[in-house]
Amino acid sequence: MAAQPLSPAYLLMGTDRGKVRRAAERLRGRFPADALEVLPASEVDPQDVALLCAQQGLFASDRLVVVEGIDAWVKPRRAGRLDPIVAYVQNPSPGTVLLLIADAPADPRKPVWPDDDPLLKAVRKAAGKEAVLRFDAPIVGLATIQAMRVAGAT
């Protein structure tokens, strides 16, 4: 069975960090090690990532640029900070896949990336709805935890 064609950009997020990690690993597995660039968002500017993605690779025909912890770019939110990434996603380089990974929100009831966020909308528009993957763990309330404890004790 042939591998599914890749989108030019992906956005992974959610409170189920295991599923987010596995999805990222599956995508990384489609590229040779020398075609991977992994960058922590806290150490790189969105403009630099957009420029890196726009550059053509010297030796690898296809490459994956992974940016982990992109929440660092929006805490605190500044108008226009993500514009270079949004512009790149709207006009991506052939052969380059950009994988953006958001950290889990501190409060799972308040998503860091609301549905009307310009970056999320740009990825959906350029790469399709399946390129924005949200993996949320079920929220376990105190009553559920207590019931599980009682059931385990009897």
Side-chain angles (χ1 to χ4, degrees):
M1 185 171 152
Q4 198 173 18
L6 295 173
S7 295
Y10 292 90
L11 174 57
L12 302 180
M13 64 183 132
T15 56
D16 192 331
R17 301 313 298 162
K19 287 182 180 177
V20 169
R21 188 187 76 253
R22 284 190 297 277
E25 287 171 359
R26 279 196 308 271
L27 187 56
R28 286 179 184 178
R30 300 209 30 198
F31 293 86
D34 64 344
L36 293 175
E37 298 256 1
V38 181
L39 309 165
S42 61
E43 297 176 15
V44 67
D45 190 70
Q47 176 71 36
D48 296 332
V49 172
L51 291 172
L52 174 68
C53 289
Q55 296 172 351
Q56 295 298 318
L58 292 176
F59 303 109
S61 58
D62 292 328
R63 67 189 178 129
L64 176 65
V65 176
V66 181
V67 185
E68 298 174 333
I70 62 169
D71 307 52
W73 289 343
V74 295
K75 294 177 186 172
R77 278 197 192 268
R78 290 191 304 226
R81 176 123 193 239
L82 296 177
D83 287 353
I85 298 292
V86 170
Y88 171 78
V89 167
Q90 291 170 342
N91 187 24
S93 294
T96 299
V97 175
L98 175 60
L99 172 58
L100 303 167
I101 303 174
D103 290 330
D107 182 350
R109 295 169 295 182
K110 297 178 183 176
V112 175
W113 298 95
D115 287 335
D116 63 345
D117 185 87
L119 178 60
L120 191 140
K121 288 167 60 174
V123 172
R124 276 195 181 131
K125 185 175 181 182
K129 288 173 74 174
E130 63 279 353
V132 176
L133 301 172
R134 187 182 310 244
F135 300 101
D136 288 323
I139 298 174
V140 179
L142 181 59
T144 305
I145 292 171
Q146 289 174 341
M148 290 172 19
R149 285 184 184 150
V150 169
T154 58

